[in-house]
Amino acid sequence: SQGAIMSYEVGLRHPETLRGIAALSGSVLPVLKAELKPDARLGKLAIFIGHGTLDQALPYYSATRANEVLMGIGLKPEFHGYPGMIHTVGEAELLDLKNWLENSLRKKGGGWLACDSGVSVAKNSDWSIAIAGKPAPTLDFHCQVNRVIYRR
């Protein structure tokens, strides 16, 4: 969640440095929201929002509000709500994130991705994802050291 908040901060304040934002169980902080306005530089950002409906740390409303804020300035985030999911990363979310990476960022070429610190994204022969340094073996993902910003 903190990684998602940081990803919004970096990506929306400095869009020229990133290709996309993956926000898992996060929110756009009020100070950033107050400063956001339509900006052509933001249009190149691919944005993934994933959030559980039963998140006890950051309510589901945090994600729906972030989605509304981003759409309000002309962006087109890919929003995914996960019924019954608490403050965690689930298998369905990982599959959606993997598909988003393949469909959104691969089409746009290389670049940086701001992502939640609990999810690692690495580039080998294909996009790879792991949670908290542990691979998701049922999805055939590769493990990479956690960081906040990743390079494709």
Side-chain angles (χ1 to χ4, degrees), residues 8 23 26-28 49 60-72 77 79:
Y8 283 134
S27 66
V28 174
I49 300 172
Y60 184 66
Y61 174 80
S62 301
T64 59
R65 185 66 186 134
N67 190 48
E68 291 169 4
V69 166
L70 298 176
M71 291 187 338
F79 183 87

Side-chain angles (χ1 to χ4, degrees), residues 36-134:
L36 288 175
K37 60 184 183 265
D39 183 334
R41 297 174 309 141
L42 294 172
K44 73 171 183 98
L45 290 175
I47 302 173
F48 178 94
I49 300 172
H51 210 106
T53 61
L54 296 180
D55 190 324
Q56 72 282 20
L58 281 173
Y60 184 66
Y61 174 80
S62 301
T64 59
R65 185 66 186 134
N67 190 48
E68 291 169 4
V69 166
L70 298 176
M71 291 187 338
I73 59 168
L75 302 180
K76 297 176 183 170
E78 185 175 312
F79 183 87
H80 295 268
Y82 301 96
M85 190 172 88
I86 60 171
H87 192 71
T88 189
V89 178
E91 190 166 326
E93 187 174 32
L94 280 177
L95 284 171
D96 290 340
L97 180 58
K98 178 182 182 288
N99 289 333
W100 173 79
L101 286 167
E102 292 172 347
N103 295 325
S104 297
L105 297 184
R106 189 176 280 166
K107 289 178 187 172
K108 295 184 176 196
W112 290 92
L113 167 68
C115 191
D116 193 292
S117 60
V119 175
S120 296
V121 179
K123 174 71 170 103
N124 288 332
S125 59
D126 200 352
W127 280 101
S128 305
I129 302 170
I131 303 173
K134 297 178 184 175

